[in-house]
Amino acid sequence: MVGIFQRSLRLRTSLRQLSFHGSTSSTDTLSSLVLRGRLFPISSPSVFFSTHRTLQAPNDGPKSLSDTPPPRRPFSRVTEEDLTFFRTLLPGRTITDPDLLESSNVDWLKSVRGSSEVLLRPQTTEEVSQILRYCNSHNLAVNPQGGNTGLVGGSVPVYDEIVLSTALMNNILHFNDVSGILTCQSGCILENLSLYLEERGHIMPLDLGAKGSCQIGGNVATNAGGLRLLRYGSLHGTVLGLEVVLADGRVLDCLSTLRKDNTGYDLKQLFIGSEGTLGVITAVSILCPQKPKSVNVVFLGCETFEQLLKTFQLSKRMLGEILSAYEFLDSECLNLLKTHLKLQNPVSDCPFYIVIETQGSDPNHDEEKLHNFLEEAMASSLVVDGTVATEEGKIKALWSMRERITEALTHDGFTYKYDISLPVERIYQLVTDMRRHLGDRAKSVVGYGHVGDGNLHLNITSPAKNAALLAAIEPFVYEWTAKFQGSISAEHGLGLKKRNYIHYKDLLQPEKHPRNNCSIQEKDRLKVVSIHRLYIVHVCHLCDEYI
Amino acid sequence: MSGRVLVGVKRVIDYAVKIRVKPDNSGVVTDGVKHSMNPFCEIAVEEAVKLKEKKLIKEVVAVSCGPQQSQETIRTALAMGADRGIHVEVTGKDYDTLGPLQVSKILAALAKKEEAQLVILGKQAIDDDCNQTGQMTAALLDWPQGTFASEVSLENDKVKVVREIDGGLETIKISTPAVLTADLRLNTPRYATLPNIMKAKKKKIANVKPADLGVDLTSRLEVLRVDEPPQRQAGMKVETVDDLVVKLKDAGKV
């Protein structure tokens, strides 16, 4: 990955011209960095990244593309000389033992495996900078790694890239309890940050099932969503500043702790969600909300998805500002929880279940609102059953019905995970269509997720990894999503597994091509530019227009 | 037999909360801390409600001794299926020194007044870990007791109790009226469902003072001091066996 930066002269000149504190000197470089979604269209003939290879056109048969890894780029291999340098720089923190490397080479889902031979564990930004500077000049590929809890195979090496782990960069640098702004190194584990903040009357603005292992740097790099997005918004809003080490070792200090700063380009936004392709995040400053005095969790049962959506509208109306999470799961999820994790259903069996959380500053106020909402929901038969929890122990128990589904799925067999954003009315239709489409071929097809954010987690299991089943699922699921203008990766990112599918978002019919007289039918007319695993940017060979 | 079961429920600091000792070491911080029903009391309520569902008893009465907030705990019991509640008001200094002896006197008086067939309690409370109230209540009433119950079955006017003891399980048969205390594996308490929570709002909670029951609340115990357990010392990693021996010698262990 670093090698790509080495050759991307255009990017480097652009960045150099953009001074890191905001103002730009030339409008030319501006246009070359116009962002559309996450891709950088270049209107000049020179290619963004000079390495490219042709790729099958998207509609070339039903073969799934997520299984074929990209070929290894001509990076150098690690030599003894390199190891000596690392060992001098990071004594005792340069790991080459294959047993110790195992956990860094395999992802959490145990679905992808790399063959890295070196794991580096820096403790300071300066060390990260030196590592990257060295790797850049010696043409060595680097794989930044946080908690390794990603679900799209993006956290482990594809080949023998050096793993740069932020695990030892776990210091909390500063917390201002007036503004609620926390500054910490990127290797801090999310749960540890939560515990630290809770003692000071605050909480992290994001929360996800992987909190015990995931690191804040990784969260920022993937623009993680999580369970609290409904209330506190995405990391694009809550991250105030970043310190990033770029591919050539330069340290980009955007670590502002200012709530508002409109001086020039907000460069840090580039790195949020960049999945480690633009630099290594070494420090984060983030705005933290107050710890709520009153937290309630409600677990409800619904007969139909329409009622579930109506309940959502009712909850927004009656709970208003105290609503902090609205999640759903279907009855198949509950069966998995019962079978594999022996969790009991808190209510009677229903086709759909909702988990609602409220957070507020006054228990009496919240309780009253909640009881009114529940009375209304029951009276209008929107929900058929439910239970409420106000005590921490019971709250954890109810949340585990939603948070542990991922775990239950790993026990059910090999899991095919899809994280889809759709118009909220269509969310469950994908699940039913997929069930019909697959028939007996799959073991379980379940749907759950952040319905309040329009985000479905569609999961399919089979006893063992099955290429035929995968071919039946993909590209069906992506085409279905594209048909309804959804996103094929709402919050998990692209990583390795979904890198080939980004065109489902942007590649529309040929008639929507910028220049009408250009058609993109033959596959070799597409000059494809790609990074090891992240993006495939299609650039039309004829007119060099980004598509 | 009246078919009435008295269930004692205690309001304690929620088990998931981190406990903090007051700076003057006189007790633990309870202000603003989340409280909930003692887990063993939940199991006791669940057992009583189960017996009612099996139609072996007719009425479940939930009792709690404490300040105004104890009513919340009684409401939870009502939401789980209890029919009515009795709140014995104990506040201030009396509440601070309220212990098993006083509570067992109150429960004994209530059991007689309500003509209870069974008194079911949790085996112990998670805040004081006394494990005395059930036993004292039985003694005061001169009733048989089945403590640490992991299985309860009613057979005519006798109760078969399987007790969890150190050596394994002991099965006894006692006659009613009796006192039972619930152990962990007796049952899994149900979640209070919405329809029941709504119904519980309409159920009655009677207000009673200890004096009305003729109970004297003076405590025979005085808490001298409350301390946190000693902090666990951090461990140390050594590189070689020789280092280990040196460290052990230094610490005087070898």
mmCIF file of all heavy atoms in Angstrom, chain A residues 499-534:
data_model
loop_
_atom_site.group_PDB
_atom_site.id
_atom_site.type_symbol
_atom_site.label_atom_id
_atom_site.label_comp_id
_atom_site.label_asym_id
_atom_site.label_seq_id
_atom_site.Cartn_x
_atom_site.Cartn_y
_atom_site.Cartn_z
ATOM 1 N N ARG A 499 -14.354 -4.992 -1.913
ATOM 2 C CA ARG A 499 -13.667 -3.969 -2.701
ATOM 3 C C ARG A 499 -14.128 -3.961 -4.137
ATOM 4 O O ARG A 499 -14.087 -2.950 -4.803
ATOM 5 C CB ARG A 499 -12.161 -4.191 -2.627
ATOM 6 C CG ARG A 499 -11.725 -5.378 -3.443
ATOM 7 C CD ARG A 499 -10.327 -5.824 -3.120
ATOM 8 N NE ARG A 499 -9.876 -6.788 -4.115
ATOM 9 C CZ ARG A 499 -10.329 -8.020 -4.216
ATOM 10 N NH1 ARG A 499 -11.237 -8.454 -3.368
ATOM 11 N NH2 ARG A 499 -9.901 -8.831 -5.161
ATOM 12 N N ASN A 500 -14.577 -5.122 -4.626
ATOM 13 C CA ASN A 500 -14.964 -5.197 -6.031
ATOM 14 C C ASN A 500 -16.364 -4.696 -6.280
ATOM 15 O O ASN A 500 -16.810 -4.657 -7.419
ATOM 16 C CB ASN A 500 -14.865 -6.635 -6.525
ATOM 17 C CG ASN A 500 -13.433 -7.109 -6.595
ATOM 18 O OD1 ASN A 500 -12.530 -6.298 -6.767
ATOM 19 N ND2 ASN A 500 -13.212 -8.399 -6.448
ATOM 20 N N TYR A 501 -17.070 -4.340 -5.208
ATOM 21 C CA TYR A 501 -18.474 -4.035 -5.410
ATOM 22 C C TYR A 501 -18.818 -2.573 -5.287
ATOM 23 O O TYR A 501 -19.965 -2.200 -5.284
ATOM 24 C CB TYR A 501 -19.318 -4.833 -4.414
ATOM 25 C CG TYR A 501 -19.233 -6.298 -4.727
ATOM 26 C CD1 TYR A 501 -18.452 -7.136 -3.945
ATOM 27 C CD2 TYR A 501 -19.874 -6.814 -5.829
ATOM 28 C CE1 TYR A 501 -18.336 -8.473 -4.261
ATOM 29 C CE2 TYR A 501 -19.769 -8.147 -6.144
ATOM 30 C CZ TYR A 501 -18.991 -8.974 -5.359
ATOM 31 O OH TYR A 501 -18.882 -10.295 -5.677
ATOM 32 N N ILE A 502 -17.782 -1.760 -5.185
ATOM 33 C CA ILE A 502 -18.104 -0.345 -5.000
ATOM 34 C C ILE A 502 -18.839 0.202 -6.205
ATOM 35 O O ILE A 502 -19.616 1.127 -6.119
ATOM 36 C CB ILE A 502 -16.831 0.448 -4.690
ATOM 37 C CG1 ILE A 502 -17.215 1.844 -4.209
ATOM 38 C CG2 ILE A 502 -15.934 0.533 -5.908
ATOM 39 C CD1 ILE A 502 -16.067 2.611 -3.641
ATOM 40 N N HIS A 503 -18.622 -0.391 -7.363
ATOM 41 C CA HIS A 503 -19.298 0.120 -8.549
ATOM 42 C C HIS A 503 -20.788 -0.041 -8.465
ATOM 43 O O HIS A 503 -21.518 0.590 -9.191
ATOM 44 C CB HIS A 503 -18.775 -0.568 -9.802
ATOM 45 C CG HIS A 503 -19.000 -2.049 -9.792
ATOM 46 N ND1 HIS A 503 -18.066 -2.951 -9.367
ATOM 47 C CD2 HIS A 503 -20.100 -2.770 -10.125
ATOM 48 C CE1 HIS A 503 -18.557 -4.163 -9.457
ATOM 49 N NE2 HIS A 503 -19.787 -4.093 -9.906
ATOM 50 N N TYR A 504 -21.283 -0.904 -7.575
ATOM 51 C CA TYR A 504 -22.724 -1.039 -7.464
ATOM 52 C C TYR A 504 -23.352 0.230 -6.927
ATOM 53 O O TYR A 504 -24.528 0.444 -7.066
ATOM 54 C CB TYR A 504 -23.105 -2.217 -6.572
ATOM 55 C CG TYR A 504 -23.113 -3.493 -7.353
ATOM 56 C CD1 TYR A 504 -22.048 -4.371 -7.279
ATOM 57 C CD2 TYR A 504 -24.157 -3.789 -8.205
ATOM 58 C CE1 TYR A 504 -22.034 -5.518 -8.027
ATOM 59 C CE2 TYR A 504 -24.153 -4.942 -8.965
ATOM 60 C CZ TYR A 504 -23.086 -5.804 -8.876
ATOM 61 O OH TYR A 504 -23.075 -6.946 -9.623
ATOM 62 N N LYS A 505 -22.506 1.045 -6.331
ATOM 63 C CA LYS A 505 -23.062 2.315 -5.880
ATOM 64 C C LYS A 505 -23.038 3.315 -7.023
ATOM 65 O O LYS A 505 -23.968 4.055 -7.223
ATOM 66 C CB LYS A 505 -22.236 2.833 -4.707
ATOM 67 C CG LYS A 505 -22.722 4.154 -4.212
ATOM 68 C CD LYS A 505 -21.809 4.697 -3.143
ATOM 69 C CE LYS A 505 -22.260 6.088 -2.754
ATOM 70 N NZ LYS A 505 -21.322 6.761 -1.892
ATOM 71 N N ASP A 506 -21.911 3.365 -7.721
ATOM 72 C CA ASP A 506 -21.742 4.470 -8.638
ATOM 73 C C ASP A 506 -21.847 4.114 -10.115
ATOM 74 O O ASP A 506 -22.056 4.975 -10.931
ATOM 75 C CB ASP A 506 -20.388 5.133 -8.393
ATOM 76 C CG ASP A 506 -20.406 5.892 -7.087
ATOM 77 O OD1 ASP A 506 -21.378 6.603 -6.833
ATOM 78 O OD2 ASP A 506 -19.458 5.744 -6.322
ATOM 79 N N LEU A 507 -21.660 2.845 -10.405
ATOM 80 C CA LEU A 507 -21.689 2.512 -11.819
ATOM 81 C C LEU A 507 -23.123 2.324 -12.252
ATOM 82 O O LEU A 507 -23.748 1.328 -11.982
ATOM 83 C CB LEU A 507 -20.876 1.234 -12.073
ATOM 84 C CG LEU A 507 -20.755 0.883 -13.548
ATOM 85 C CD1 LEU A 507 -20.013 1.985 -14.278
ATOM 86 C CD2 LEU A 507 -19.989 -0.407 -13.702
ATOM 87 N N LEU A 508 -23.613 3.299 -12.901
ATOM 88 C CA LEU A 508 -24.999 3.225 -13.349
ATOM 89 C C LEU A 508 -25.009 2.728 -14.792
ATOM 90 O O LEU A 508 -24.013 2.308 -15.326
ATOM 91 C CB LEU A 508 -25.623 4.612 -13.234
ATOM 92 C CG LEU A 508 -25.459 5.217 -11.837
ATOM 93 C CD1 LEU A 508 -25.883 6.656 -11.807
ATOM 94 C CD2 LEU A 508 -26.223 4.392 -10.818
ATOM 95 N N GLN A 509 -26.159 2.829 -15.419
ATOM 96 C CA GLN A 509 -26.219 2.367 -16.802
ATOM 97 C C GLN A 509 -25.318 3.220 -17.687
ATOM 98 O O GLN A 509 -25.087 4.389 -17.406
ATOM 99 C CB GLN A 509 -27.652 2.432 -17.321
ATOM 100 C CG GLN A 509 -28.551 1.313 -16.807
ATOM 101 C CD GLN A 509 -28.798 1.434 -15.327
ATOM 102 O OE1 GLN A 509 -29.107 2.518 -14.861
ATOM 103 N NE2 GLN A 509 -28.625 0.346 -14.603
ATOM 104 N N PRO A 510 -24.873 2.646 -18.800
ATOM 105 C CA PRO A 510 -24.005 3.423 -19.710
ATOM 106 C C PRO A 510 -24.615 4.757 -20.131
ATOM 107 O O PRO A 510 -23.904 5.716 -20.346
ATOM 108 C CB PRO A 510 -23.844 2.496 -20.925
ATOM 109 C CG PRO A 510 -24.040 1.137 -20.365
ATOM 110 C CD PRO A 510 -25.014 1.269 -19.249
ATOM 111 N N GLU A 511 -25.942 4.804 -20.229
ATOM 112 C CA GLU A 511 -26.521 6.072 -20.690
ATOM 113 C C GLU A 511 -26.321 7.184 -19.667
ATOM 114 O O GLU A 511 -26.499 8.343 -19.972
ATOM 115 C CB GLU A 511 -28.005 5.934 -21.029
ATOM 116 C CG GLU A 511 -28.863 5.392 -19.923
ATOM 117 C CD GLU A 511 -28.982 3.881 -19.962
ATOM 118 O OE1 GLU A 511 -28.128 3.221 -20.586
ATOM 119 O OE2 GLU A 511 -29.912 3.357 -19.370
ATOM 120 N N LYS A 512 -25.923 6.811 -18.443
ATOM 121 C CA LYS A 512 -25.699 7.861 -17.458
ATOM 122 C C LYS A 512 -24.243 8.301 -17.440
ATOM 123 O O LYS A 512 -23.802 9.050 -16.598
ATOM 124 C CB LYS A 512 -26.103 7.366 -16.060
ATOM 125 C CG LYS A 512 -27.587 7.155 -15.971
ATOM 126 C CD LYS A 512 -28.088 7.171 -14.545
ATOM 127 C CE LYS A 512 -29.559 6.860 -14.520
ATOM 128 N NZ LYS A 512 -30.022 6.447 -13.218
ATOM 129 N N HIS A 513 -23.467 7.781 -18.377
ATOM 130 C CA HIS A 513 -22.071 8.159 -18.500
ATOM 131 C C HIS A 513 -21.970 9.657 -18.773
ATOM 132 O O HIS A 513 -22.795 10.219 -19.473
ATOM 133 C CB HIS A 513 -21.464 7.366 -19.642
ATOM 134 C CG HIS A 513 -19.992 7.526 -19.746
ATOM 135 N ND1 HIS A 513 -19.394 8.623 -20.290
ATOM 136 C CD2 HIS A 513 -19.001 6.715 -19.339
ATOM 137 C CE1 HIS A 513 -18.102 8.474 -20.219
ATOM 138 N NE2 HIS A 513 -17.831 7.327 -19.657
ATOM 139 N N PRO A 514 -20.961 10.320 -18.199
ATOM 140 C CA PRO A 514 -20.840 11.771 -18.351
ATOM 141 C C PRO A 514 -20.884 12.246 -19.799
ATOM 142 O O PRO A 514 -21.477 13.240 -20.104
ATOM 143 C CB PRO A 514 -19.494 12.107 -17.719
ATOM 144 C CG PRO A 514 -19.186 10.984 -16.840
ATOM 145 C CD PRO A 514 -19.942 9.792 -17.295
ATOM 146 N N ARG A 515 -20.203 11.487 -20.655
ATOM 147 C CA ARG A 515 -20.236 11.907 -22.069
ATOM 148 C C ARG A 515 -21.056 10.897 -22.852
ATOM 149 O O ARG A 515 -20.700 9.737 -22.928
ATOM 150 C CB ARG A 515 -18.812 11.948 -22.638
ATOM 151 C CG ARG A 515 -17.998 13.056 -22.048
ATOM 152 C CD ARG A 515 -17.011 13.602 -23.061
ATOM 153 N NE ARG A 515 -15.986 14.352 -22.362
ATOM 154 C CZ ARG A 515 -14.695 14.209 -22.551
ATOM 155 N NH1 ARG A 515 -14.249 13.355 -23.421
ATOM 156 N NH2 ARG A 515 -13.837 14.929 -21.866
ATOM 157 N N ASN A 516 -22.104 11.366 -23.443
ATOM 158 C CA ASN A 516 -23.047 10.442 -24.051
ATOM 159 C C ASN A 516 -22.469 9.612 -25.167
ATOM 160 O O ASN A 516 -22.942 8.533 -25.459
ATOM 161 C CB ASN A 516 -24.254 11.208 -24.596
ATOM 162 C CG ASN A 516 -25.097 11.732 -23.455
ATOM 163 O OD1 ASN A 516 -25.001 11.222 -22.365
ATOM 164 N ND2 ASN A 516 -25.882 12.751 -23.724
ATOM 165 N N ASN A 517 -21.446 10.114 -25.836
ATOM 166 C CA ASN A 517 -20.951 9.369 -26.976
ATOM 167 C C ASN A 517 -19.932 8.300 -26.590
ATOM 168 O O ASN A 517 -19.277 7.734 -27.431
ATOM 169 C CB ASN A 517 -20.340 10.335 -28.007
ATOM 170 C CG ASN A 517 -19.272 11.191 -27.354
ATOM 171 O OD1 ASN A 517 -18.990 11.029 -26.162
ATOM 172 N ND2 ASN A 517 -18.695 12.091 -28.104
ATOM 173 N N CYS A 518 -19.824 8.072 -25.354
ATOM 174 C CA CYS A 518 -18.873 7.054 -24.933
ATOM 175 C C CYS A 518 -19.619 5.892 -24.319
ATOM 176 O O CYS A 518 -20.471 6.069 -23.464
ATOM 177 C CB CYS A 518 -17.915 7.666 -23.906
ATOM 178 S SG CYS A 518 -16.704 6.507 -23.335
ATOM 179 N N SER A 519 -19.341 4.710 -24.771
ATOM 180 C CA SER A 519 -20.041 3.579 -24.162
ATOM 181 C C SER A 519 -19.024 2.640 -23.521
ATOM 182 O O SER A 519 -17.923 2.458 -24.002
ATOM 183 C CB SER A 519 -20.845 2.844 -25.232
ATOM 184 O OG SER A 519 -19.952 2.308 -26.171
ATOM 185 N N ILE A 520 -19.395 2.065 -22.465
ATOM 186 C CA ILE A 520 -18.440 1.224 -21.752
ATOM 187 C C ILE A 520 -18.934 -0.212 -21.724
ATOM 188 O O ILE A 520 -19.380 -0.719 -20.715
ATOM 189 C CB ILE A 520 -18.218 1.714 -20.308
ATOM 190 C CG1 ILE A 520 -19.547 2.243 -19.732
ATOM 191 C CG2 ILE A 520 -17.165 2.767 -20.259
ATOM 192 C CD1 ILE A 520 -19.543 2.284 -18.239
ATOM 193 N N GLN A 521 -18.886 -0.818 -22.901
ATOM 194 C CA GLN A 521 -19.386 -2.181 -22.940
ATOM 195 C C GLN A 521 -18.279 -3.217 -22.882
ATOM 196 O O GLN A 521 -18.396 -4.224 -22.234
ATOM 197 C CB GLN A 521 -20.217 -2.407 -24.197
ATOM 198 C CG GLN A 521 -21.633 -1.870 -24.057
ATOM 199 C CD GLN A 521 -22.131 -1.284 -25.328
ATOM 200 O OE1 GLN A 521 -21.428 -1.305 -26.342
ATOM 201 N NE2 GLN A 521 -23.340 -0.764 -25.319
ATOM 202 N N GLU A 522 -17.203 -2.961 -23.577
ATOM 203 C CA GLU A 522 -16.166 -3.986 -23.589
ATOM 204 C C GLU A 522 -15.287 -3.860 -22.371
ATOM 205 O O GLU A 522 -14.898 -2.777 -21.967
ATOM 206 C CB GLU A 522 -15.321 -3.849 -24.862
ATOM 207 C CG GLU A 522 -16.117 -4.175 -26.099
ATOM 208 C CD GLU A 522 -15.652 -3.324 -27.269
ATOM 209 O OE1 GLU A 522 -14.423 -3.112 -27.370
ATOM 210 O OE2 GLU A 522 -16.483 -2.864 -28.048
ATOM 211 N N LYS A 523 -14.923 -4.993 -21.858
ATOM 212 C CA LYS A 523 -14.217 -4.935 -20.585
ATOM 213 C C LYS A 523 -12.842 -4.296 -20.701
ATOM 214 O O LYS A 523 -12.368 -3.659 -19.792
ATOM 215 C CB LYS A 523 -14.115 -6.320 -19.956
ATOM 216 C CG LYS A 523 -13.513 -7.376 -20.833
ATOM 217 C CD LYS A 523 -13.563 -8.711 -20.091
ATOM 218 C CE LYS A 523 -13.121 -9.826 -20.993
ATOM 219 N NZ LYS A 523 -13.197 -11.107 -20.326
ATOM 220 N N ASP A 524 -12.193 -4.429 -21.850
ATOM 221 C CA ASP A 524 -10.853 -3.836 -21.881
ATOM 222 C C ASP A 524 -10.900 -2.348 -22.178
ATOM 223 O O ASP A 524 -9.892 -1.702 -22.348
ATOM 224 C CB ASP A 524 -9.918 -4.564 -22.849
ATOM 225 C CG ASP A 524 -10.567 -4.778 -24.195
ATOM 226 O OD1 ASP A 524 -11.610 -4.136 -24.438
ATOM 227 O OD2 ASP A 524 -10.056 -5.592 -24.954
ATOM 228 N N ARG A 525 -12.095 -1.794 -22.226
ATOM 229 C CA ARG A 525 -12.147 -0.354 -22.355
ATOM 230 C C ARG A 525 -12.165 0.307 -20.989
ATOM 231 O O ARG A 525 -12.104 1.499 -20.869
ATOM 232 C CB ARG A 525 -13.401 0.058 -23.113
ATOM 233 C CG ARG A 525 -13.220 -0.219 -24.565
ATOM 234 C CD ARG A 525 -14.459 -0.001 -25.333
ATOM 235 N NE ARG A 525 -14.180 0.885 -26.456
ATOM 236 C CZ ARG A 525 -15.054 1.746 -26.933
ATOM 237 N NH1 ARG A 525 -16.200 1.858 -26.381
ATOM 238 N NH2 ARG A 525 -14.743 2.486 -27.966
ATOM 239 N N LEU A 526 -12.215 -0.533 -20.013
ATOM 240 C CA LEU A 526 -12.187 0.022 -18.678
ATOM 241 C C LEU A 526 -10.784 -0.100 -18.133
ATOM 242 O O LEU A 526 -10.251 -1.177 -18.009
ATOM 243 C CB LEU A 526 -13.144 -0.742 -17.755
ATOM 244 C CG LEU A 526 -14.609 -0.423 -17.903
ATOM 245 C CD1 LEU A 526 -15.402 -1.314 -16.980
ATOM 246 C CD2 LEU A 526 -14.870 1.025 -17.550
ATOM 247 N N LYS A 527 -10.189 1.024 -17.891
ATOM 248 C CA LYS A 527 -8.872 1.004 -17.280
ATOM 249 C C LYS A 527 -9.116 1.080 -15.788
ATOM 250 O O LYS A 527 -9.683 2.025 -15.277
ATOM 251 C CB LYS A 527 -8.091 2.240 -17.776
ATOM 252 C CG LYS A 527 -6.648 2.260 -17.348
ATOM 253 C CD LYS A 527 -5.856 3.256 -18.149
ATOM 254 C CE LYS A 527 -6.372 4.677 -17.944
ATOM 255 N NZ LYS A 527 -5.547 5.650 -18.677
ATOM 256 N N VAL A 528 -8.763 0.033 -15.134
ATOM 257 C CA VAL A 528 -9.129 -0.004 -13.726
ATOM 258 C C VAL A 528 -7.930 0.268 -12.844
ATOM 259 O O VAL A 528 -6.855 -0.226 -13.046
ATOM 260 C CB VAL A 528 -9.715 -1.381 -13.365
ATOM 261 C CG1 VAL A 528 -10.024 -1.436 -11.887
ATOM 262 C CG2 VAL A 528 -10.962 -1.615 -14.182
ATOM 263 N N VAL A 529 -8.198 1.065 -11.906
ATOM 264 C CA VAL A 529 -7.160 1.484 -10.979
ATOM 265 C C VAL A 529 -7.522 0.948 -9.616
ATOM 266 O O VAL A 529 -8.632 1.107 -9.167
ATOM 267 C CB VAL A 529 -7.133 3.023 -10.937
ATOM 268 C CG1 VAL A 529 -6.316 3.502 -9.774
ATOM 269 C CG2 VAL A 529 -6.589 3.567 -12.233
ATOM 270 N N SER A 530 -6.624 0.307 -8.957
ATOM 271 C CA SER A 530 -7.054 -0.207 -7.652
ATOM 272 C C SER A 530 -5.945 -0.187 -6.629
ATOM 273 O O SER A 530 -4.777 -0.212 -6.947
ATOM 274 C CB SER A 530 -7.553 -1.632 -7.788
ATOM 275 O OG SER A 530 -6.493 -2.457 -8.162
ATOM 276 N N ILE A 531 -6.320 -0.129 -5.440
ATOM 277 C CA ILE A 531 -5.402 -0.261 -4.321
ATOM 278 C C ILE A 531 -5.513 -1.709 -3.887
ATOM 279 O O ILE A 531 -6.495 -2.363 -4.187
ATOM 280 C CB ILE A 531 -5.834 0.673 -3.175
ATOM 281 C CG1 ILE A 531 -6.015 2.062 -3.719
ATOM 282 C CG2 ILE A 531 -4.830 0.645 -2.060
ATOM 283 C CD1 ILE A 531 -6.569 3.026 -2.730
ATOM 284 N N HIS A 532 -4.547 -2.179 -3.199
ATOM 285 C CA HIS A 532 -4.502 -3.603 -2.834
ATOM 286 C C HIS A 532 -5.864 -4.194 -2.543
ATOM 287 O O HIS A 532 -6.242 -5.212 -3.044
ATOM 288 C CB HIS A 532 -3.623 -3.796 -1.595
ATOM 289 C CG HIS A 532 -2.515 -4.751 -1.826
ATOM 290 N ND1 HIS A 532 -2.401 -5.940 -1.173
ATOM 291 C CD2 HIS A 532 -1.466 -4.684 -2.655
ATOM 292 C CE1 HIS A 532 -1.308 -6.560 -1.574
ATOM 293 N NE2 HIS A 532 -0.730 -5.828 -2.467
ATOM 294 N N ARG A 533 -6.600 -3.596 -1.689
ATOM 295 C CA ARG A 533 -7.894 -4.195 -1.422
ATOM 296 C C ARG A 533 -9.042 -3.209 -1.392
ATOM 297 O O ARG A 533 -10.169 -3.620 -1.276
ATOM 298 C CB ARG A 533 -7.879 -4.941 -0.087
ATOM 299 C CG ARG A 533 -7.611 -4.060 1.070
ATOM 300 C CD ARG A 533 -7.988 -4.756 2.358
ATOM 301 N NE ARG A 533 -7.277 -4.137 3.441
ATOM 302 C CZ ARG A 533 -6.098 -4.549 3.852
ATOM 303 N NH1 ARG A 533 -5.536 -5.586 3.315
ATOM 304 N NH2 ARG A 533 -5.487 -3.931 4.811
ATOM 305 N N LEU A 534 -8.755 -1.950 -1.467
ATOM 306 C CA LEU A 534 -9.853 -1.054 -1.186
ATOM 307 C C LEU A 534 -10.756 -0.716 -2.362
ATOM 308 O O LEU A 534 -11.899 -1.118 -2.394
ATOM 309 C CB LEU A 534 -9.343 0.247 -0.555
ATOM 310 C CG LEU A 534 -10.480 1.127 -0.084
ATOM 311 C CD1 LEU A 534 -11.319 0.420 0.970
ATOM 312 C CD2 LEU A 534 -9.958 2.406 0.511
#
